[in-house]
Amino acid sequence: MADWIKFMGTAGARFVVSKQLRSSAGTWCNMQGQNILIDPGPGTLSRCFSVRPKLNPEHIDAIILTHRHLDHSTDINVMIEAMTRGTFEPRGALFVPSDAIEAGNEPVVFRHTRNSMERLELLQIGKEFTIGPVRFTTPVLHRHPVETYGLVFDLPEGRVSFITDTAYFPELIEHYRDSDILIINVVFYEIPAVRQIQHLDLSGAKKLVQGIRPRLMVMTHFGLNMLHHKPYLLAQQLAEETGIPVKAATDGMILVLDEILNG
Ligand SMILES: [Zn+2]
Ligand SMILES: [Zn+2]
């Protein structure tokens, strides 16, 4: 089957997570035959077995953590244990920001799971990483309270980028240019100008879409206010305003890259 991305969960921010108004499980990508799990938040392991078809954590080849916040990292140790069959079969790769494992910084990846993988790499600005034939980069440090990166995958079908948690800043447009599919964590509906919240709201996301002009934009990682305004309606509105197709992710939604980019 062609490359695909499955949004196991689409919750962002703590109330949507703690009330589980949306699932907070991570995003599972199947790219070039590699199973790549991004940001295994709370409930990722159990979600693997409740989605249809089931996803087998023993088949994961790599886990990428964009930053250490709980809604992204809670299930990381249990997913590493599952990937390495209880840490007894060293395999797979882990990519994390350095502050996720620093001693003295309350590491979110425990030592016993850290040593069970074939490879552990620290995310760095502008560096290129590989997972089998898949290449990705982390072009810029995001503006967020902890060390946070977005991801750019260059695949045969096109460029797929994840703009994860960050405040808006204009340089993001240059760093994520030429994205064919742009997946953005739109946590807030509207951030009042006086509040220093390091997240994107709908107007920030709109500026990114207008600047980058992808072939498809996907919104995910919703906070409470986004849910109240109904993400699918906001997606329609954003598509009309920008002339670019926009989808609001739902729990379990799959994007088949070939269908979107070559269909
Ligand atoms: Zn988040
Ligand atoms: Zn965060």
Side-chain angles (χ1 to χ4, degrees):
M1 188 180 170
D3 292 357
W4 49 265
I5 295 171
K6 187 177 181 85
F7 297 84
M8 291 196 289
T10 55
R14 51 195 76 169
F15 296 115
V16 176
V17 172
S18 53
K19 294 173 194 291
Q20 288 290 292
L21 300 175
R22 294 274 184 119
S23 165
S24 47
T27 301
W28 187 304
C29 306
N30 186 279
M31 296 169 168
Q32 309 295 108
Q34 305 291 304
N35 287 302
I36 302 166
L37 177 64
I38 301 169
D39 286 348
T44 300
L45 180 62
S46 75
R47 200 79 182 173
C48 287
F49 295 97
S50 65
V51 292
R52 293 287 175 268
K54 284 180 200 171
L55 293 167
N56 186 345
E58 291 183 355
H59 294 164
I60 295 171
D61 298 291
I63 299 175
I64 305 172
L65 180 68
T66 66
H67 66 292
R68 56 173 289 139
H69 279 160
L70 269 185
D71 53 331
H72 300 252
S73 68
T74 303
D75 271 15
I76 196 159
N77 292 288
V78 78
M79 292 312 297
I80 295 169
E81 280 204 348
M83 171 171 85
T84 59
R85 302 191 174 116
T87 72
F88 299 118
E89 279 182 40
R91 57 182 294 278
L94 177 68
F95 302 87
V96 295
S98 62
D99 71 354
I101 58 168
E102 255 162 29
N105 196 25
E106 210 168 33
V108 296
V109 183
F110 299 151
R111 207 161 278 112
H112 85 278
T113 57
R114 219 181 288 171
N115 295 332
S116 67
M117 285 156 302
E118 281 175 334
R119 198 152 59 98
L120 191 162
E121 290 196 44
L122 295 180
L123 297 176
Q124 279 176 44
I125 301 166
K127 195 172 166 188
E128 185 175 276
F129 302 92
T130 57
I131 303 165
V134 176
R135 290 177 299 124
F136 76 94
T137 58
T138 42
V140 61
L141 191 65
H142 284 191
R143 297 199 184 153
H144 202 52
V146 295
E147 188 183 347
T148 305
Y149 299 93
L151 309 170
V152 176
F153 290 91
D154 276 311
L155 300 163
E157 300 95 330
R159 176 172 288 184
V160 178
S161 300
F162 291 81
I163 301 186
T164 59
D165 293 4
T166 184
Y168 176 81
F169 56 104
E171 291 79 12
L172 285 170
I173 291 170
E174 182 56 21
H175 287 293
Y176 292 96
R177 69 184 183 277
D178 299 331
S179 297
D180 295 297
I181 298 179
L182 186 63
I183 297 159
I184 304 183
N185 287 4
V186 189
V187 177
F188 282 82
Y189 175 70
E190 188 173 27
I191 298 174
V194 291
R195 292 185 66 191
Q196 301 278 317
I197 296 176
Q198 294 191 305
H199 271 297
L200 285 165
D201 65 5
L202 205 59
S203 70
K206 183 177 170 183
K207 283 186 257 181
L208 293 175
V209 172
Q210 286 171 324
I212 297 168
R213 303 202 65 79
R215 293 171 63 188
L216 172 70
M217 183 270 211
V218 179
M219 303 195 275
T220 186
H221 210 59
F222 303 121
L224 210 48
N225 243 311
M226 281 298 283
L227 292 186
H228 284 156
H229 283 88
K230 298 197 168 54
Y232 74 94
L233 291 179
L234 299 175
Q236 281 173 13
Q237 184 190 321
L238 197 57
E240 280 163 23
E241 289 169 3
T242 61
I244 287 168
V246 178
K247 271 183 200 282
T250 51
D251 290 353
M253 185 179 91
I254 291 187
L255 297 180
V256 178
L257 303 189
D258 210 43
E259 280 174 11
I260 295 164
L261 297 175
N262 302 317

